[in-house]
Amino acid sequence: MTLSSPDGSAVPGVQSHVTCPFCGILCDDLEVARSAAGLKVQRNGCEKAIAGFERNVAGASPQVGGRDTDLATAVAAATALLRASRLPLYGGLGTDVEGVRAVMALADKSGGVVDHALSDGQYRNFRVLQTAGWFMSTLTETRNRADLIVVVGSDLHKLHPRFFERIVNVEASLLTETPPKRTVIFLGQGLDTSGIQGSRVGEIVSVPCPLDRVGEVVGALKAEIKGSPLRLDEVAGVKMDVVKGVAERIRKASYGVFVWAPPSLAFPNADLTVGLVSEFVKELNLAGRYACLSLGGNEGAVTAGAVCSWQSGYPLRVSFASGAPDYDFTRYAIPKMLEAGDGDVLVWVASFTPDLTPPAASIPTIVLGTPGMKLASTPAVYIPVGTPGADHAGRLVRCDNVVSLPLRNLKRSTLPRGADILAAIELAI
Ligand code: SF4
């Protein structure tokens, strides 16, 4: 079956092996049908994918000061604001590789600051990577080799609904005909374990403790495995015999992987928890094979960090105000800059989900966003843009940072690419 696309060309009615851009694990096995009514996820889509692909984005118009206008007028208005700006802030950054490249070029030319909306989560990782390094696994290695998965204080099922299905519950392994059953340990209370199921799954162990005290349990596990157990009855509300049992399972593993999603570790100094886990994994490697695996990457966060790193030499929170990249993860955090009254124009890019809304700002805001965003106040300029992988082709870096995946144009709409709008503004200023 073929259908006519908005630009008149013929496209298949059903596309298979579609890559989903709506969370960082970038599942590439979806089947999506397109009809006059829009896109329909037919196979392998989780609720996030269905919400993302099947959303109606028709009818959105560029706006200046809340009034509908044409695209050229909106681009001209955005250009005028940026031309007059002394310190523009480029935030959100929910876009693909080309979109982030365009943001970087515009920030460079206009002397602005770049920061992703989910940078707080990413910096829980970056600070450990920058100061101490780590052993990181990949989705593929974990899928094929792990016999133990330790979930560290993260609701993986909520943030990445198919992680367990695609990486943990799989029956086959590339390395052996008879892969062992997997033990899955959840460190932290209130974590959704419902995604763990199937013949490959062995024991499921829950260690309920407050998420901000997971680091204490990791410390106790470390002491136990080192042979100098804590002389306590419990740690973070977890009985020591439970700690001993978990330590024993870790010790026996052939390839244990400690998995977290940085946005879940949303408590003060959570980078210390990431650091503790990372150091524990390093020590475990003295006698076996263990690794960390960080998920995240929703809303293009990992892509933004990767592109910013390879273009400026630094991860996010970089300022071009001096004419050269200046990196300071505290000073150039856009939410804090807005609170402090720094910056005079906010450019907010959110092309994947309408949930990525800009923070309250007393300065003019230019929003390049997917239709349907519920904005707290009327932006100076709003330009609706397409979603990479639904409305136009694109590319995203996967959460494990080892591959970038191409995204297909499913021709959901004819909305413009955010990268093209940003490039047009850059050319004009
Ligand atoms: S788990 Fe993530 S990448 Fe996979 S289908 Fe769901 S939203 Fe898309």
Side-chain angles (χ1 to χ4, degrees):
M1 178 176 73
T2 59
L3 297 164
S4 176
S5 69
D7 63 7
S9 63
V11 297
V14 179
Q15 298 210 32
S16 52
H17 305 295
V18 170
T19 298
C20 170
F22 296 108
C23 91
I25 67 173
L26 301 183
C27 301
D28 57 0
D29 61 347
L30 277 71
E31 194 174 282
V32 183
R34 181 177 172 279
S35 71
L39 299 179
K40 182 92 189 147
V41 179
Q42 295 198 325
R43 288 184 58 169
N44 298 334
C46 67
E47 63 272 23
K48 264 182 195 285
I50 291 169
F53 281 115
E54 298 188 7
R55 213 157 47 78
N56 182 5
V57 295
S61 168
Q63 295 183 336
V64 174
R67 289 173 182 252
D68 286 0
T69 186
D70 57 84
L71 183 57
T73 304
V75 168
T79 303
L81 280 169
L82 287 171
R83 228 183 245 146
S85 169
R86 293 173 60 84
L87 185 59
L89 309 179
Y90 295 91
L93 305 197
T95 181
D96 62 350
V97 168
E98 284 306 309
V100 184
R101 279 182 192 275
V103 168
M104 296 295 291
L106 183 53
D108 191 5
K109 193 164 181 183
S110 60
V113 171
V114 293
D115 185 18
H116 192 279
L118 303 182
S119 283
D120 277 349
Q122 298 218 90
Y123 267 92
R124 287 168 201 137
N125 281 359
F126 289 158
R127 292 172 74 171
V128 175
L129 174 62
Q130 287 171 329
T131 54
W134 53 22
F135 278 82
M136 267 291 162
S137 185
T138 64
L139 292 179
T140 308
E141 192 177 48
T142 300
R143 178 185 163 108
N144 283 298
R145 295 194 59 178
D147 61 345
L148 170 77
I149 304 281
V150 182
V151 178
V152 183
S154 302
D155 204 340
L156 303 184
H157 198 51
K158 182 174 165 200
L159 287 166
H160 307 281
R162 295 184 65 210
F163 170 75
F164 292 125
E165 174 203 328
R166 298 254 304 160
I167 306 300
V168 182
N169 299 340
V170 288
E171 290 189 11
S173 163
L174 284 178
L175 304 171
T176 167
E177 296 276 310
T178 53
K181 283 189 183 295
R182 289 172 157 152
T183 298
V184 184
I185 298 171
F186 289 86
L187 297 184
Q189 64 195 17
L191 305 182
D192 185 349
T193 62
S194 64
I196 288 286
Q197 49 193 274
S199 59
R200 187 76 192 281
V201 177
E203 234 189 330
I204 301 171
V205 181
S206 285
V207 182
C209 66
L211 297 189
D212 60 354
R213 300 188 68 186
V214 164
E216 294 173 47
V217 176
V218 172
L221 289 167
K222 193 171 161 176
E224 190 69 38
I225 288 179
K226 273 184 117 171
S228 47
L230 302 182
R231 296 177 194 280
L232 298 169
D233 294 333
E234 59 176 47
V235 59
V238 178
K239 298 277 183 219
M240 284 312 284
D241 59 338
V242 174
V243 171
K244 285 181 197 302
V246 170
E248 195 51 32
R249 289 170 177 89
I250 292 172
R251 198 183 279 122
K252 282 184 180 160
S254 302
Y255 184 54
V257 180
F258 290 68
V259 190
W260 67 88
S264 282
L265 305 177
F267 47 84
N269 304 315
D271 54 309
L272 298 180
T273 300
V274 173
L276 259 171
V277 174
S278 178
E279 290 306 305
F280 183 32
V281 165
K282 283 183 197 169
E283 287 181 22
L284 287 167
N285 271 287
L286 295 174
R289 183 78 175 98
Y290 300 84
C292 304
L293 176 64
S294 173
L295 303 184
N298 295 8
E299 306 282 3
V302 166
T303 300
V307 176
C308 191
S309 295
W310 79 57
Q311 294 217 329
S312 73
Y314 302 105
L316 298 157
R317 298 186 171 168
V318 173
S319 171
F320 291 91
S322 67
D326 179 30
Y327 166 66
D328 189 321
F329 68 82
T330 306
R331 186 172 168 200
Y332 301 129
I334 284 184
K336 283 192 186 151
M337 293 184 78
L338 289 171
E339 274 174 31
D342 292 336
D344 50 15
V345 176
L346 173 64
V347 180
W348 190 262
V349 185
S351 56
F352 295 107
T353 73
D355 305 328
L356 198 73
T357 51
S362 56
I363 56 178
T365 304
I366 299 166
V367 175
L368 274 57
T370 182
M373 295 174 76
K374 299 263 182 306
L375 300 170
S377 58
T378 304
V381 180
Y382 168 66
I383 301 178
V385 294
T387 299
D391 303 304
H392 61 80
R395 182 171 289 276
L396 278 174
V397 179
R398 205 170 65 184
C399 62
D400 51 2
N401 252 309
V402 290
V403 290
S404 66
L405 272 76
L407 306 171
R408 223 176 285 172
N409 180 3
L410 302 182
K411 302 194 173 181
R412 179 177 64 174
S413 77
T414 54
L415 287 166
R417 296 193 322 156
D420 292 337
I421 302 295
L422 292 158
I425 296 171
E426 189 216 334
L427 199 64
I429 63 169

